[in-house]
Amino acid sequence: MSRAHRSTRLGLVVAFAVLALSVPAGLAQTPVASPVAGDGPHPAHIHAGTCVELGDIVAPLSDVVDLEAGSGEQVGATTAQPVKVGATVVDLSLEEIIAGAYAINVHLSAEDIGEYIACGDIGGVVITDYDNRSELNIGLQELNDSGHVGTVWLGDDGDQTIIEIILIEPEELD
């Protein structure tokens, strides 16, 4: 990965981490419905088990929301692929998450919590960034013909882990 790409991604992760850390610790793990128009918000959780056999919820994650419909201003190319993003800091170390045999599951909505739209088993290759911190990237596969796929970045932050979910709808690609 190029240094420029990594720096951009790290900047985005840091921005979400700062936002998440600015919330009182007891609220950082509590998903809150965002007043965003469009498709979503999509509740997300870390579950015990795998995407094939999801177990109990281990940690709630922030809702995944449509940034295009958010309060920010559209910049750059108007043809850029829209993304949906959710970022959370959880009180589990990255080592604990990896060792726990967990999956990250994304739901259609709070009202349709039983409708799963994307899921990814937590596992893969842990890499070390230039600050000597561990990180793991996993893929999210589409479920129930939702049109949603994506990635999850898990970043070591001592006794906590920063988790950033990015969803796209590939059928929207032109």
Side-chain angles (χ1 to χ4, degrees), residues 102-138:
Y102 299 133
I104 292 181
N105 187 44
V106 183
H107 304 264
L108 179 61
S109 67
E111 296 78 26
D112 294 312
I113 201 76
E115 182 74 19
Y116 303 152
I117 64 170
C119 191
D121 295 333
I122 298 176
V125 177
V126 175
I127 60 173
T128 302
D129 69 12
Y130 61 87
D131 286 331
N132 206 30
R133 295 192 316 178
S134 298
E135 59 184 52
L136 174 67
N137 290 285
I138 67 169

Side-chain angles (χ1 to χ4, degrees), residues 3 27 32 34 41 44-45 55 59 64 73 75-77 79 87 114 121 126 132:
R3 184 173 200 140
L27 298 177
V32 176
S34 175
H45 304 96
V64 180
E73 178 183 342
V75 297
T79 56
D121 295 333
V126 175
N132 206 30

Side-chain angles (χ1 to χ4, degrees), residues 1-170:
M1 177 181 309
S2 76
R3 184 173 200 140
H5 177 71
R6 186 177 206 112
S7 294
T8 301
R9 191 178 91 218
L10 182 60
L12 181 62
V13 170
V14 169
F16 284 118
V18 167
L19 177 64
L21 291 172
S22 67
V23 175
L27 298 177
Q29 291 184 335
T30 305
V32 176
S34 175
V36 175
D39 184 22
H42 304 293
H45 304 96
I46 298 176
H47 285 262
T50 65
C51 293
V52 172
E53 292 187 38
L54 285 174
D56 292 336
I57 293 173
V58 173
L61 302 174
S62 296
D63 287 350
V64 180
V65 297
D66 184 353
L67 291 181
E68 185 177 62
S71 60
E73 178 183 342
Q74 172 70 35
V75 297
T78 58
T79 56
Q81 174 66 37
V83 297
K84 300 170 189 174
V85 178
T88 310
V89 177
V90 296
D91 288 329
L92 296 166
S93 71
L94 181 58
E95 186 176 284
E96 289 175 284
I97 292 172
I98 292 169
Y102 299 133
I104 292 181
N105 187 44
V106 183
H107 304 264
L108 179 61
S109 67
E111 296 78 26
D112 294 312
I113 201 76
E115 182 74 19
Y116 303 152
I117 64 170
C119 191
D121 295 333
I122 298 176
V125 177
V126 175
I127 60 173
T128 302
D129 69 12
Y130 61 87
D131 286 331
N132 206 30
R133 295 192 316 178
S134 298
E135 59 184 52
L136 174 67
N137 290 285
I138 67 169
L140 293 175
Q141 62 188 350
E142 173 187 22
L143 295 177
N144 299 313
D145 295 320
S146 70
H148 292 84
V149 296
T151 62
V152 179
W153 179 87
L154 297 97
D156 177 39
D157 196 26
D159 291 339
Q160 298 180 314
T161 302
I162 303 164
I163 299 176
E164 177 186 314
I165 299 172
I166 299 176
L167 285 179
I168 65 168
E169 292 183 72

